[in-house]
Amino acid sequence: MIGIDERGYYGEFGGAYIPEMLHPNIAELQAEYVGIINEPGFQREFQKLLRDYVGRPSPLYLAERLSEHYQVNIYLKREDLNHTGAHKINNTVGQILLAKKLGKKRIIAETGAGQHGVATATVCALMGMPCVVYMGAVDIKRQAPNVSRMRMLGAEVRPAESGSKTLKDATNEAIRDWINNPVDTHYIIGSVVGPHPYPDMVARFQSVISEEMKWQLEEQTGKPNPDAVVACVGGGSNAAGAYYHYLNEKGVRLIAVEAAGKGVHSGESAATSVLGTRGIIHGSRTLLMQTKDGQIVEPYSLSAGLDYPGIGPMHAHLIASKRAEPISITDEDALRAAYFLSRKEGIIPALETFHALAALEVMAYQPSDVVVICLSGRGDKDLATFIQHFDDYNR
Ligand SMILES: *Cc1c(COP(=O)(O)O)cnc(C)c1O
């Protein structure tokens, strides 16, 4: 069985490696989260917001032209159609309800591509709570539309100026804030990373993705299980949600697609499952990109949502135990998939998501297979990047 144990481990990965000052916050979450999430009142409120505010269920769409091209049955799980444009909102709705139950008055978050920041700023506006979002200074530049969105929603965006000025640096700043404001503040982590119970808590909130996939597939194909589920992996939350109800269904292949940047071994990539070794990052034991003496290697990807030097402990376990198959996709191949899907299906997903689509070029399958791809988000935020490279792919 694949699942988390009582100490917060998936196999050898996970746990809670945190500074002393954070112990009360983490202990409170560990003691309360399952009970709160399972309360009927909490579930009613959560389900109602997912339906009426987020717009769930998200469609499961048989992409006929794409299927014809690849000679396999491709279904797209349309998380790009959620309010705020990605899967991130499933988790932030859940966590803000949880923060309210815990009596918290202030929310902090970190963000890479800005999608989690927007999703957090959105639910803070909805609940009338003050919101501070930490974001790498480099990401602030390359994701300008999302920065404007967060400000419009009333959030304060604080730049992280250290290191590579990207997601991992923003995460460090958020942790520092939480240490300084332990009583009134809840930290909404945006992926299945961080100390226990975050990976499991976020996976539970995102599990609505595969819960819907099961009945949607049953309706459309007569069977609840596909042959393969494909998702891109930054920290791993859209993948965790898309895999969740299939984790222990051996007949369902789980394909985890990572960003290879300029090439897995180019020195500029974020392919953690290939390059990662065991270590501790942001509170959990997992696979991460590090030098022999434990310095974190700066990750790189054209997509700001995938350039994280680690992966969540669930994914580390899935990969180490060979339950999931990792695939690495370069910037170039992701961009090619971007133009291809846009022209084939009239859908422009996010750069992160295009990595998952590009996996169709390399993964093995039979013509009769049903393959579900988690379309994690929409591409509005990436239009400037697409246009910048437009001529390279449209000669
Ligand atoms: C944030 C993001 C990702 C990567 O995060 P995961 O936690 O791995 O899902 C992927 N796609 C989109 C659209 C995102 O916004």
Side-chain angles (χ1 to χ4, degrees):
M1 287 286 285
I2 292 168
I4 200 152
D5 70 17
E6 275 170 15
R7 291 153 50 245
Y9 283 84
Y10 298 90
E12 60 175 303
F13 301 105
Y17 298 83
I18 49 171
E20 193 63 36
M21 309 270 294
L22 284 183
H23 271 243
N25 302 38
I26 293 297
E28 180 185 34
L29 278 178
Q30 288 175 350
E32 303 286 345
Y33 83 109
V34 173
I36 291 177
I37 293 173
N38 289 337
E39 268 171 30
F42 180 94
Q43 275 300 324
R44 258 195 310 278
E45 209 175 346
F46 182 49
Q47 297 302 336
K48 186 167 184 288
L49 283 172
L50 287 184
R51 188 190 66 206
D52 300 339
Y53 190 70
V54 174
R56 304 204 70 91
S58 68
L60 183 73
Y61 166 67
L62 171 61
E64 287 187 21
R65 276 170 40 86
L66 207 63
S67 298
E68 190 185 309
H69 177 84
Y70 285 107
Q71 289 294 298
V72 64
N73 305 292
I74 301 168
Y75 287 83
L76 305 178
K77 180 61 173 158
R78 298 292 308 275
E79 294 300 301
D80 60 313
L81 295 177
N82 293 340
H83 180 43
T84 71
H87 64 290
K88 299 272 177 14
I89 189 92
N90 305 325
N91 168 49
T92 60
V93 167
Q95 281 203 50
I96 197 123
L97 292 177
L98 188 113
K100 272 181 39 179
K101 297 269 183 224
L102 292 172
K104 303 293 177 182
K105 304 280 183 249
R106 173 178 178 267
I107 298 293
I108 56 171
E110 85 298 328
T111 196
Q115 288 300 113
H116 174 58
V118 169
T120 303
T122 299
V123 296
C124 287
L126 180 68
M127 298 295 172
M129 281 165 112
C131 177
V132 173
V133 179
Y134 291 92
M135 189 169 186
V138 166
D139 291 339
I140 287 181
K141 280 212 190 81
R142 61 182 172 174
Q143 303 289 336
N146 274 342
V147 175
S148 306
R149 244 168 243 140
M150 284 182 264
R151 296 203 166 120
M152 187 72 190
L153 291 160
E156 180 191 340
V157 181
R158 289 193 193 158
E161 301 282 1
S162 60
S164 57
K165 303 182 173 51
T166 59
L167 181 57
K168 82 168 170 40
D169 312 292
T171 304
N172 289 336
E173 294 292 328
I175 290 171
R176 209 163 295 147
D177 182 313
W178 210 22
I179 288 173
N180 291 327
N181 301 283
V183 179
D184 68 331
T185 298
H186 176 67
Y187 177 15
I188 300 190
I189 292 183
S191 192
V192 285
V193 300
H196 174 62
Y198 279 100
D200 183 49
M201 180 165 72
V202 176
R204 284 171 189 249
F205 290 140
Q206 292 292 359
S207 70
V208 64
I209 298 173
S210 49
E211 196 181 308
E212 290 172 3
M213 273 159 53
K214 281 206 145 177
W215 63 258
Q216 289 171 320
L217 278 172
E218 176 90 53
E219 227 170 64
Q220 296 186 44
T221 71
K223 285 188 290 189
N225 291 7
D227 296 286
V229 180
V230 183
C232 65
V233 174
S237 69
N238 85 89
Y243 298 166
Y244 198 87
H245 291 282
Y246 298 116
L247 285 172
N248 294 304
E249 307 266 354
K250 289 234 171 58
V252 181
R253 290 165 63 200
L254 309 176
I255 316 268
V257 188
E258 294 184 312
K262 294 181 178 168
V264 172
H265 300 289
S266 65
E268 291 182 84
S269 96
T272 311
S273 67
V274 184
L275 304 172
T277 51
R278 288 160 171 77
I280 290 166
I281 184 169
H282 297 139
S284 69
R285 185 176 148 78
T286 188
L287 293 174
L288 65 136
M289 294 174 15
Q290 57 188 335
T291 60
K292 279 202 187 69
D293 43 346
Q295 293 295 313
I296 288 170
V297 173
E298 298 293 352
Y300 165 82
S301 165
L302 185 62
S303 95
L306 298 184
D307 68 350
Y308 185 68
I311 42 172
M314 178 202 279
H315 298 286
H317 178 59
L318 291 176
I319 286 164
S321 64
K322 304 214 170 354
R323 175 67 185 92
E325 304 165 41
I327 288 180
S328 314
I329 296 293
T330 61
D331 289 350
E332 216 178 292
D333 291 341
L335 278 171
R336 192 167 300 112
Y339 296 103
F340 188 71
L341 184 80
S342 302
R343 305 288 160 85
K344 277 277 180 208
E345 294 287 348
I347 299 171
I348 311 175
L351 252 177
E352 293 78 14
T353 312
F354 281 124
H355 287 75
L357 287 152
L360 288 165
E361 298 281 344
V362 279
M363 64 181 275
Y365 51 77
Q366 306 290 326
S368 61
D369 280 359
V370 169
V371 176
V372 178
I373 300 177
C374 186
L375 226 68
S376 55
R378 70 175 86 120
D380 308 28
K381 69 183 175 58
D382 298 313
L383 282 178
T385 306
F386 294 147
I387 291 306
Q388 208 179 334
H389 295 273
F390 196 79
D391 292 340
D392 300 341
Y393 295 87
N394 288 280
R395 270 194 264 271

